[in-house]
Amino acid sequence: MAGSVKSDSLVLGLFLIALGVLWTLGNLGRIDLLAVLATWWPLTLVVWGLVELGNALLARRERRSE
Amino acid sequence: VKARKIGLLFLFLAFGAAVETAYVVRDHFDVGPAGCRVLRGRFSGPSFGFDAESRQPLAPGAPLQVDNAFGAVRVIAGAPGEVRITLRKVVFLPTETEARAFAERVQIRALPSGSGLRVTTNRDELDRGHGSVGFETHLELAVPPATAVEVRNEHGRVDLADVARADVVSSYEPVRLERVAGPVRLDTRHGDVSVSGIEGNLELKVRHGNVEAHDLKAPARLEVSHGDLGVARAGAVDVALQYGELSVDTVGSLTVRAQHAPVKAETVGGAADVETTYNSVRLAGVAGDARVKAAHAAVQLSRVEGAVEVETSYDDVTLEVVGGDAVVKVAHGGVRAQGLARGARITGSGSRIEVDGFRGPLEIEAERAGVHLVPAGPLAQRVSVKTTHGDIRLVVPPESRFELEASTTRGEVQVDVPGLAVKQSSPSQVTGTLGGGGASVRLVSEPGDVVVESRSVSAARER
């Protein structure tokens, strides 16, 4: 597992980056922040799920190579 | 799965819930005169209006019943022999197409009811199938002359004019009734009411709304709570009022049973009988007798042609120009009376009693109160004043005739009336006769000073 990504840290990091970008765009008047968040927030769960899946596949491949 | 991941998952879910709630609420959050409202419900957002019309025959004199909800009802005079019904449908849906499709399902229902007609809509059926769609049904009915109208409406204003009689039950919006030839019965809540030009008896019950009633030809019974009531140009008026203000102008007679309500009435053609608490009573221009019973309230009566009976506490009584007998009882309050034509019987405590310009017999009992008396003319009627812990001052006009008996238990009696034949005189008691004697004037203070002086002496001293 040494090479695997810590999924929760990765998701939290991505989430914070995304939130910061969106917030900035909202402050700049480019987007309606609340509407965008209310619509797209479930994608964080999708991204997290993909990262977990990737980690599981990576761990399996490492076990086979050993 | 690590606890950390579960915690993070809950964190994301909580974030999403908060964001979605904020998004839903933000367009439905309203702070205004009605208070703070969140999620205004199905009657918000885009709306579209559509009209429908129907004509129904109605025999002369036949009654009309209107049932509605979430919309106004307006009844006006129309052509003989038929009722013209106009339904304005307002549908709250995002697009006009959706709204039109829904509005086509909203229909007028006109059904025979006894000898008359019942008009309503199919709202109940639609609410059962499409409860989430908000729609208003505004009915306008042009009715034949001399139609008796009964209206049941909720969440919509009611306007009736030029009908034979009216029976209205409504809520949450104003009601206006004008020019009704017969009796009116009105029961409403959470809405202001205006009635005028009512020829028959008026029976009105209003909770949480202000009421204006004008030009009432027959007796009116008005029951109002949590709202102000104004009455003008009416016959006999009987009011039950709680937590509001009563204002009356030009009525035949007035009966008021109120709580926590100030009462102000001007020009009462007959008797006035008022009871209230915690707020003042002001009556001016009463042609009959006036009876006022109050608690924790000031009472002011002026220009009363008949007798006056006042009882109150913890505030003062003021009387100006009273034609009949006056009986006043005040606990913890003073009395100021001017222009009493037929004397008075006054019981007071705690504050000064002043009677200026009185005629007729006077009887006063006071506790912890001074008494000041100035007759309007020659004093020839019985005067009896007894006070504890207060001074007494009597001004004697010229040509007065009486037997004087003034005394005090602790204090001084001073008599300065030219022409008084003193029988007995000491610092604590003076008796004597003025003008050959006549009625008894008895002034007793226990304790306090007693001063009896002629008008000229009093005027000189005041100068």
Side-chain angles (χ1 to χ4, degrees):
Chain A
M1 294 288 286
S4 69
V5 179
K6 251 189 169 180
S7 61
D8 45 357
S9 297
L10 180 64
V11 169
L12 188 59
L14 289 171
F15 174 76
L16 291 174
I17 291 167
L19 183 63
V21 170
L22 291 173
W23 203 318
T24 305
L25 290 172
N27 284 349
L28 291 171
R30 299 295 180 89
I31 60 167
D32 180 353
L33 178 65
L34 199 56
V36 170
L37 287 177
T39 306
W40 298 104
W41 77 269
L43 282 183
T44 56
L45 302 178
V46 174
V47 171
W48 190 4
L50 289 173
V51 171
E52 289 288 343
L53 200 59
N55 272 343
L57 291 172
L58 195 62
R60 194 171 160 187
R61 190 177 297 170
E62 283 178 356
R63 274 200 302 274
R64 281 185 182 170
S65 64
E66 284 169 5
Chain B
V1 181
K2 290 180 181 174
R4 184 179 169 182
K5 286 188 179 177
I6 295 173
L8 190 61
L9 177 62
F10 276 107
L11 188 67
F12 280 141
L13 293 175
F15 172 80
V19 165
E20 290 209 15
T21 302
Y23 182 62
V24 170
V25 163
R26 71 170 182 177
D27 289 333
H28 302 280
F29 185 80
D30 183 21
V31 179
C36 177
R37 291 182 177 178
V38 179
L39 294 176
R40 282 173 292 183
R42 54 188 175 137
F43 294 96
S44 64
S47 64
F48 302 89
F50 308 92
D51 292 325
E53 189 176 307
S54 172
R55 290 172 187 268
Q56 298 291 329
L58 188 66
L64 174 70
Q65 183 183 342
V66 183
D67 289 341
N68 194 35
F70 299 101
V73 173
R74 184 162 181 254
V75 180
I76 56 174
E82 69 165 15
V83 179
R84 195 186 77 234
I85 308 162
T86 306
L87 173 62
R88 175 77 174 164
K89 301 174 269 190
V90 178
V91 181
F92 291 80
L93 281 173
T95 66
E96 185 173 357
T97 308
E98 291 176 276
R100 186 181 298 281
F102 185 85
E104 283 172 5
R105 305 184 62 181
V106 181
Q107 294 168 357
I108 299 168
R109 292 274 193 266
L111 310 163
S113 175
S115 60
L117 184 69
R118 177 173 179 262
V119 176
T120 183
T121 67
N122 60 337
R123 169 177 290 280
D124 288 345
E125 300 163 23
L126 294 170
D127 274 344
R128 278 196 290 273
H130 304 269
S132 61
V133 178
F135 65 102
E136 296 171 354
T137 49
H138 303 279
L139 285 165
E140 179 174 308
L141 301 101
V143 303
T147 300
V149 179
E150 181 181 317
V151 176
R152 301 288 180 264
N153 196 22
E154 288 188 352
H155 300 278
R157 68 173 295 133
V158 177
D159 287 273
L160 261 72
D162 302 302
V163 296
R165 55 195 300 162
D167 182 346
V168 177
V169 178
S170 74
S171 62
Y172 295 104
E173 289 290 344
V175 176
R176 185 184 187 92
L177 305 180
E178 291 177 329
R179 300 182 300 279
V180 180
V184 170
R185 196 179 78 82
L186 172 62
D187 186 343
T188 183
R189 58 199 164 92
H190 298 283
D192 294 344
V193 171
S194 169
V195 293
S196 63
I198 311 300
E199 304 279 343
N201 290 359
L202 171 62
E203 189 180 330
L204 183 148
K205 188 173 182 181
V206 178
R207 285 148 289 167
H208 301 281
N210 298 325
V211 179
E212 285 294 328
H214 298 160
D215 300 299
L216 312 176
K217 300 292 189 293
R221 163 76 181 163
L222 312 172
E223 193 177 330
V224 179
S225 65
H226 301 276
D228 298 340
L229 171 59
V231 184
R233 300 181 297 281
V237 176
D238 184 353
V239 174
L241 177 65
Q242 291 182 324
Y243 302 100
E245 292 185 21
L246 174 61
S247 176
V248 176
D249 187 3
T250 315
V251 297
S253 65
L254 180 65
T255 303
V256 179
R257 296 292 176 265
Q259 292 180 3
H260 297 270
V263 177
K264 183 180 173 186
E266 193 157 337
T267 315
V268 179
D273 183 353
V274 177
E275 291 187 9
T276 190
T277 57
Y278 299 103
N279 280 286
S280 64
V281 178
R282 292 175 62 189
L283 304 181
V286 180
D289 296 343
R291 175 185 167 272
V292 177
K293 184 175 181 183
H296 297 266
V299 177
Q300 294 181 35
L301 305 184
S302 62
R303 293 180 282 115
V304 179
E305 294 179 25
V308 163
E309 184 180 344
V310 178
E311 184 176 347
T312 190
S313 61
Y314 297 100
D315 216 323
D316 296 343
V317 173
T318 305
L319 305 179
E320 289 180 3
V321 188
V322 175
D325 299 335
V327 178
V328 179
K329 290 182 185 174
V330 190
H332 309 284
V335 178
R336 291 189 63 190
Q338 195 170 25
L340 304 181
R342 296 186 60 178
R345 196 162 73 244
I346 299 171
T347 306
S349 67
S351 194
R352 188 175 172 83
I353 296 174
E354 292 181 26
V355 185
D356 191 357
F358 69 92
R359 299 179 191 277
L362 198 62
E363 183 178 340
I364 296 175
E365 282 193 30
E367 292 179 10
R368 306 182 311 284
V371 177
H372 187 181
L373 307 178
V374 181
L379 186 57
Q381 299 268 13
R382 180 174 178 269
V383 173
S384 172
V385 179
K386 183 178 180 183
T387 181
T388 58
H389 302 281
D391 298 337
I392 300 172
R393 179 180 295 275
L394 171 65
V395 175
V396 180
E399 300 177 22
S400 294
R401 294 178 291 106
F402 57 82
E403 300 280 343
L404 176 66
E405 182 184 346
S407 65
T408 177
T409 53
R410 195 169 67 248
E412 189 179 357
V413 177
Q414 300 172 35
V415 178
D416 189 352
V417 180
L420 179 73
V422 177
K423 292 179 184 171
Q424 183 183 352
S425 178
S426 71
S428 62
Q429 185 175 27
V430 173
T431 60
T433 303
L434 182 66
S440 164
V441 173
R442 187 166 183 268
L443 312 173
V444 178
S445 177
E446 298 175 346
D449 296 338
V450 178
V451 176
V452 181
E453 58 192 6
S454 67
R455 181 173 287 171
S456 56
V457 171
S458 176
R461 184 178 52 76
E462 286 177 4
R463 277 199 299 273

